[in-house]
Amino acid sequence: MLTIRTSSQLILNRHRTSFRECASSTGIPASGNGLSQLLGAWVRLVNSESRSSWLSERWRMHMRRVRSANERRQA
């Protein structure tokens, strides 16, 4: 009978960098993992860029209000 006490006794665990690379541990092919990670990265990038443009537009609107308020005070 074979007894395995720790994961260090498994040769495959030393060569695998993460469990995501093993199709048997996740149940889905590795190519699907890469595609979903790529799509997730694109979604995060688009969200970040839209948030940045929204914030810069809000900042411009704020500065216009500040300038118009200062002009009214000086007049």
Side-chain angles (χ1 to χ4, degrees):
M1 184 166 131
L2 177 65
T3 305
I4 299 175
R5 295 186 180 103
T6 65
S7 64
S8 65
Q9 293 174 335
L10 297 175
I11 295 171
L12 296 176
N13 278 346
R14 289 186 218 148
H15 301 291
R16 189 170 46 230
T17 56
S18 74
F19 287 105
R20 290 184 181 149
E21 293 180 7
C22 178
S24 62
S25 70
T26 61
I28 57 175
S31 62
N33 275 349
L35 181 61
S36 65
Q37 289 175 356
L38 180 64
L39 289 175
W42 276 106
V43 167
R44 286 189 297 277
L45 176 65
V46 168
N47 285 342
S48 174
E49 288 177 350
S50 67
R51 197 176 311 120
S52 177
S53 65
W54 176 83
L55 184 58
S56 65
E57 180 61 30
R58 294 294 173 186
W59 184 251
R60 273 187 244 117
M61 289 171 57
H62 169 70
M63 292 308 292
R64 278 187 224 129
R65 285 192 303 267
V66 168
R67 273 188 235 117
S68 66
N70 285 340
E71 289 171 358
R72 277 186 264 146
R73 286 183 197 155
Q74 290 176 356

